[in-house]
Amino acid sequence: MAKSASTKPYLIRAIYEWCVAEQYTPFLLVKIDQNTLAPRAFIKDGKILLNLSPGSIKDLLMGDEAITFTARFNGAPENLYLPISAVEGVYAKENGEGLFFEAKEDQELGSTETKKSPNKPKLTLVKN
């Protein structure tokens, strides 16, 4: 069976569209890594929180691999490139409703594969 695409970009787009439809302010929380292009002056603790309201940004493109747009920071336009894997959350500013993702999103959402720890205890069934 072929590996299915991640649901994460679809979920991000859905929450964003819901925020806009309900006239909420969509916020995006992104972990900064070497593939992320964002203004460094606004990064705190390795993350950046962005207002994605339609009046605050231009040329928004939410693809399956990345989110790109232009926004103003201190009056200067900046082009942002945010890999989907770096997105940690998308939510409405007004009520906090939305979705948050695990810090390590290299694995697809919904994956049943887990790493086995050699230090974990093992249970066995003992029959009488």
Side-chain angles (χ1 to χ4, degrees):
M1 179 177 212
K3 187 176 180 182
S4 63
S6 173
T7 58
K8 188 174 180 181
Y10 298 94
L11 296 170
I12 293 169
R13 286 190 290 265
I15 295 299
Y16 173 81
E17 290 176 14
W18 170 77
C19 286
V20 172
E22 295 295 318
Q23 297 183 341
Y24 292 141
T25 307
F27 268 43
L28 194 69
L29 179 63
V30 181
K31 182 177 181 181
I32 302 301
D33 63 17
Q34 68 275 9
N35 299 317
T36 308
L37 178 62
R40 301 294 179 210
F42 296 89
I43 297 170
K44 293 181 183 175
D45 300 322
K47 299 177 184 184
I48 190 165
L49 184 61
L50 300 161
N51 175 348
L52 292 188
S53 63
S56 299
I57 61 174
K58 284 182 19 179
D59 303 324
L60 175 64
L61 178 59
M62 292 183 144
D64 291 342
E65 300 295 323
I67 299 170
T68 61
F69 59 92
T70 302
R72 291 192 166 276
F73 294 87
N74 289 334
E78 296 269 353
N79 294 320
L80 285 85
Y81 178 88
L82 312 166
I84 292 294
S85 62
V87 175
E88 291 190 348
V90 57
Y91 63 95
K93 175 186 175 187
E94 291 76 6
N95 62 13
E97 288 187 43
L99 290 174
F100 293 89
F101 305 97
E102 292 182 22
K104 179 139 176 126
E105 278 297 332
D106 294 338
Q107 295 179 346
E108 293 185 346
L109 290 178
S111 174
T112 57
E113 184 178 311
T114 57
K115 292 183 181 179
K116 294 182 181 178
S117 172
N119 298 332
K120 283 190 172 182
K122 296 177 183 173
L123 297 175
T124 55
L125 179 61
V126 178
K127 294 182 180 182
N128 291 339

